[in-house]
């Protein structure tokens, strides 16, 4: 036996990895300069980024904030930098930002849309972050659809109360009749009672109550709505209402009841086959011609209805995609537990189908929110409409990029938040099935 | 077929609307507000300022009518309309008066069933070129690239003009005036053509307006005027004679500054009739005697309105030109108040 061992018997001392392989240098070597080709690409990209930023950053930051007109802006630029190129004139935003946010809403009432927005966030909390906030907040969520119009349009408090009463009446009729007669008949009559209340009776009741007990706040005309507030208002309503309608339409499309099915298919295909701008023109022009003269059918309400129907049709197809992705076993499992149709939908099918559809649903939300800018074509002053109105002021005639950059930033903040929330939701609901 | 059914239905609806609203003037008085259609924004003609208050040449027309009928130049609900929505808004009764730099043409007057109440601005299509191009007449524009708004009468006028002069051009189609300004400044086209008033406003917004010139040729007639619905002649008369009162006031030297003095001191019978200190002209219109006084006091006479909104002292800087009084060689000629 020899003492010579052919295998090392003692461990080598641990060494730190070479400096070129770890830390920032290592990361750069691996990711940016891992070969001559990648190195060239890196250098070209760096130059491109530098080129773009070197134009944009001075434009944003070497800018004029205080001036009363574009001409004055240009004079200040000439005096400060000796050139008018490459400098933004943010003075227009400074001058008009309140108008771009609120439109022509009376300025002593700005607190109302702001309060409505804050309440919206609070009312959404129990839905968006159900595990982190007390569930009592759901009462606020339920009241919000009536509170919001009251805050935005003002007027008598009996209007929203009477609208809410419609739901109570419908629910009352449904519960009483569905026990005595059949469930379906109760549902139909309940809906009918609500509609009759809203269309026929509620007007008299509101008038009577208002003359007995006039409680209310200053009314604001729809004509005065505008700016980013209008985009948020239209977006929130379209988003909030289209999801339930979309779910119903998606279920209807899969229904075995022939009439329900073809009504849903017809609605979805018709709305999806028509551009949104056409629907908006119908809302603003055709309805005007067909309704009896003197009818005051609020233009913003008309636009809201059209946008909601439009996004509901898209929503229905997104959710149908989620339904189709569920394996047949889920439906059979629900049946074998003895659940009825609505129980199965609520407890088994919808939670899974909606989870699958989250990215598509949020895409539709973001899409419809950005589509709200189309209302500028029918003469409503949303931010885009206001930007051209501001340009028509002789003081600001000829200013473009600053206004569009501001509008872009506003929309980016909202859309990006929605997108991040959807990713959070996906992570939270991740159950490891994929 | 479908189209005719649709148009038929639209016509019936329009007729029904017209019949039910026989008295626009009464409606306006009952409502206490004049619904006036304006553009969504055109420099000098109509635009909301930072406080949301509408200002401009067309806006002043709305205010004058409101002052004449309702006694308050601020009793106006401004309804912004686009080129596409303006006529439906008027036909459906959403607005009582459309003062939106609308060209008076045969088909709009006759076929669309509107009533132009006069002309408040005589416009025409012109050309703007950079000075360095060295062009002094539109006839030298052979082979030029021209920025032109699509779907407008200016597009057709342009084609006509170049064909009759037997020269060629290359159109650069653009959608809005804002886009046109950018394209023209970026050098995408040699020439920008639109209404001369629009060209002047556009040029005024440039960094160096003196580097661009407007060519002398005006190649079309664009009489811009306010309009009302067909079939309500009383209301049409109110609007027409309000405009005439503004024009006559300038001719007779009545301004918003001196109107009170003149009303009490003048011996001129025409001024007396105009201002209602003599005769019953207001009564014939269904208004009170001082309707024209209020209309003139609201924003001044035609000349004052012109000077304040689009005249030579404003950034837009339009000369009176065709819009001068007939006594000064222009086309403004109001029928007599008698």
């Amino acid at each position: 036996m020899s003492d010579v061992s052919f295998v090392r018997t003692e461990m080598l001392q641990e060494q730190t990895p070479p400096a070129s392989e770890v830390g920032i240098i290592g990361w750069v070597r691996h990711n940016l300069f891992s070969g001559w080709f990648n190195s060239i690409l890196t250098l070209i990209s760096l130059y491109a980024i530098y080129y773009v930023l070197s134009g944009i950053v001075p434009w944003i930051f070497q800018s004029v904030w205080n001036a009363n007109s574009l001409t004055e802006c240009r004079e200040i630029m000439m005096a400060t930098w000796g050139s008018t190129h490459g400098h933004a004139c943010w003075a227009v935003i400074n001058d008009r930002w309140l108008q771009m946010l609120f439109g022509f809403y009376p300025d002593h009432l700005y607190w109302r849309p702001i309060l409505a927005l804050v309440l919206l966030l609070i009312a959404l909390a129990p839905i968006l972050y159900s595990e982190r906030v007390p569930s009592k907040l759901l009462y606020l969520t339920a009241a919000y659809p009536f509170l919001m119009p009251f805050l935005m349009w003002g007027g008598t408090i009996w209007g929203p109360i009477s609208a809410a009463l419609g739901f109570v009446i419908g629910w009352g009729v449904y519960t009483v009749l569905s026990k005595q007669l059949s469930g379906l008949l109760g549902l139909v009559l309940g809906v009918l009672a609500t509609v009759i209340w809203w269309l026929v009776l509620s007007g008299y009741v509101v008038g009577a109550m208002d003359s007995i007990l006039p409680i209310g706040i200053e009314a604001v005309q729809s004509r005065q709505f505008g700016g980013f507030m209008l985009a948020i208002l239209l977006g929130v309503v379209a988003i909030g209402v289209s999801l339930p309608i979309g779910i119903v339409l998606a279920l209807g499309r899969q229904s075995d009841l022939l009439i329900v099915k073809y009504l849903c298919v017809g609605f979805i295909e018709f709305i999806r086959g028509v551009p949104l701008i056409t629907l908006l023109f119908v809302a603003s022009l055709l309805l005007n011609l067909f309704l009896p003269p003197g009818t005051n059918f609020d233009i913003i309400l008309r636009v809201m209805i059209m946008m909601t129907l439009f996004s509901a049709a898209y929503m229905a197809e997104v959710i149908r995609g989620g339904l189709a992705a569920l394996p047949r076993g889920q439906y059979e499992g629900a049946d074998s537990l003895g659940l009825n149709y609505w129980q199965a939908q609520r407890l088994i099918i919808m939670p899974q189908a909606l989870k699958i559809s989250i990215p598509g649903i949020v895409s539709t939300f973001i899409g419809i929110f950005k589509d709200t800018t189309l209302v500028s074509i029918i003469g409503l002053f949303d931010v885009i409409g206001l930007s051209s109105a501001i340009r028509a002021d002789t003081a600001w005639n000829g200013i473009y990029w600053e206004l569009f950059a501001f509008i872009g930033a506003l929309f980016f903040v909202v859309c990006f938040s929605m997108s991040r929330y959807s990713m959070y939701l996906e992570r939270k609901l991740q159950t490891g099935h994929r | 077929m479908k189209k005719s059914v649709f148009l038929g239905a639209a016509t019936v609806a329009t007729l029904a609307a017209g019949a039910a609203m026989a008295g626009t003037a009464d409606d306006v008085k009952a409502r206490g507000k004049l619904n006036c259609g304006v553009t969504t924004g055109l420099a000098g003609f109509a635009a909301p300022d930072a406080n949301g208050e509408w200002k401009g040449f067309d806006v002043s027309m709305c205010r004058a009518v409101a002052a004449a009928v309702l006694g308050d130049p601020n009793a106006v609900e401004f309804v912004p309309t686009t080129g596409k929505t303006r006529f439906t808004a008027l036909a459906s009764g959403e607005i009582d008066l459309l003062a939106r730099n609308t060209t008076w043409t045969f088909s709009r007057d006759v076929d669309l069933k509107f009533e132009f109440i006069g002309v408040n601005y005589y416009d025409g299509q012109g050309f703007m070129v950079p000075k360095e191009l060295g062009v002094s007449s539109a006839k030298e524009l052979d082979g030029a690239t021209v920025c032109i708004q699509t779907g407008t009468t200016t597009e057709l006028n342009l084609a006509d003009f170049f064909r009759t002069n037997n020269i060629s051009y290359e159109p650069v189609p653009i959608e809005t005036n804002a886009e046109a300004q950018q394209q023209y400044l970026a050098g995408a086209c040699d020439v920008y053509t639109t209404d001369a008033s629009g060209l002047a406003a556009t040029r005024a917004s440039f960094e160096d307006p003196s580097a661009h010139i407007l060519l002398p040729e005006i190649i079309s007639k664009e009489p811009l005027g306010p309009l009302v619905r067909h079939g309500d002649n009383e209301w049409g008369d109110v609007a027409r004679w309000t405009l005439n009162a503004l024009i006559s006031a300038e001719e007779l030297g009545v301004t918003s500054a001196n109107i009170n003095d003149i009303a009490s001191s003048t011996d001129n019978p025409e001024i007396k009739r105009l201002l209602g200190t003599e005769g019953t002209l207001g009564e014939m219109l269904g208004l009170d005697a001082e309707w024209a006084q209020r209309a003139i006091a609201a924003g001044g006479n035609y000349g004052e309105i012109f000077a304040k909104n689009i005249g030579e002292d404003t950034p837009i800087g339009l000369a009176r030109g065709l819009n001068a009084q007939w006594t000064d060689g222009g086309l403004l000629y109001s029928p007599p108040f008698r």
Side-chain angles (χ1 to χ4, degrees), chain A residues 17-249:
Chain A
S20 61
E21 292 296 315
V22 291
I24 295 171
I25 299 173
W27 185 86
V28 168
R29 268 177 63 112
H30 280 291
N31 292 293
L32 299 181
F33 298 100
S34 57
W36 64 268
F37 183 65
N38 286 350
S39 303
I40 292 173
L41 283 186
T42 301
L43 290 175
I44 294 175
S45 311
L46 281 178
Y47 179 74
I49 292 170
Y50 166 78
Y51 182 76
V52 171
L53 285 184
S54 68
I56 291 180
V57 170
W59 182 78
I60 293 178
F61 292 102
Q62 294 188 351
S63 49
V64 179
W65 277 94
N66 293 302
N68 290 319
S69 69
L70 183 59
T71 329
E72 200 181 322
C73 244
R74 284 173 177 156
E75 281 164 10
I76 295 174
M77 285 174 196
M78 283 307 284
T80 319
W81 298 287
S83 148
T84 58
H85 284 283
H87 305 287
C89 177
W90 296 117
V92 65
I93 308 293
N94 196 6
D95 189 32
R96 297 290 187 109
W97 67 279
L98 277 172
Q99 198 174 50
M100 294 189 79
L101 291 183
F102 294 100
F104 303 138
Y105 210 84
D107 48 6
H108 63 283
L109 298 178
Y110 280 165
W111 61 272
R112 275 161 45 178
I114 294 172
L115 180 63
L117 183 66
V118 171
L119 284 180
L120 170 73
L121 298 179
I122 298 175
L124 280 177
I127 300 174
L128 299 183
Y129 302 99
S130 49
E131 73 287 357
R132 295 197 204 163
V133 290
S135 56
K136 287 242 170 59
L137 269 180
L138 273 174
Y139 290 112
L140 176 67
T141 312
Y144 189 76
F146 308 102
L147 204 56
M148 190 271 284
F150 175 62
L151 277 175
M152 298 297 290
W153 276 276
T156 169
I157 194 160
W158 299 108
I161 288 180
S162 148
L165 210 57
F167 283 106
V168 175
I169 289 173
W171 186 76
V173 169
Y174 168 70
T175 41
V176 170
L177 287 187
S178 61
K179 278 189 192 129
Q180 295 180 353
L181 307 165
S182 78
L184 185 66
L185 200 61
L187 185 69
V188 170
L189 288 176
V191 171
L192 207 63
T194 310
V195 171
I196 290 176
W197 169 260
W198 280 341
L199 294 185
V200 184
L201 299 174
S202 130
Y204 299 108
V205 174
V206 170
M209 286 308 289
D210 192 40
S211 55
I212 298 169
L213 201 61
I215 306 175
I217 50 179
E218 191 178 331
V220 179
Q221 299 293 317
S222 288
R223 205 43 82 191
Q224 294 171 286
F225 283 46
F228 199 55
M229 183 187 89
L230 183 63
I232 293 183
L233 179 69
L234 292 175
V236 164
V237 171
I239 286 171
V241 182
S242 69
L243 185 61
I245 298 183
I247 292 174
V248 171
L249 283 173

Side-chain angles (χ1 to χ4, degrees), chain A residues 74 84-85 95-96 99 104 223 281 285-286 288-290 293 376-379 381 389 391-394 397-398 400-401, chain B residues 6 13 17 40-43 47-50 52 54 77 79-80 82 84 88 92 94 178 181-182 201 205-207 316:
Chain A
R74 284 173 177 156
T84 58
H85 284 283
D95 189 32
R96 297 290 187 109
Q99 198 174 50
F104 303 138
R223 205 43 82 191
F281 273 123
L285 300 180
L286 272 187
N288 260 349
L289 286 175
F290 288 129
S376 63
I377 298 180
I378 55 168
F381 274 125
R391 260 197 306 277
D393 189 331
T394 43
N397 193 354
Y400 305 92
W401 301 107
Chain B
F6 164 74
T40 50
L42 179 67
D49 69 3
W54 285 85
E77 187 81 44
V79 179
T82 66
K84 295 184 181 74
T88 328
S92 67
E94 192 184 346
Q181 296 188 16
Q182 291 288 303
S205 74
F206 289 168
E207 281 190 63
I316 296 173

Side-chain angles (χ1 to χ4, degrees), chain B residues 60 64 242 245-247 249-250 254-257 259 292-306 308:
Chain B
S60 302
T242 305
L246 299 180
I247 295 173
E250 190 191 13
V254 181
T255 67
S256 57
I259 187 165
Q293 279 196 37
R294 289 193 305 269
I296 297 163
N301 63 33
Y302 182 91
E304 288 176 86
I305 292 173
F306 193 101
K308 191 162 54 190

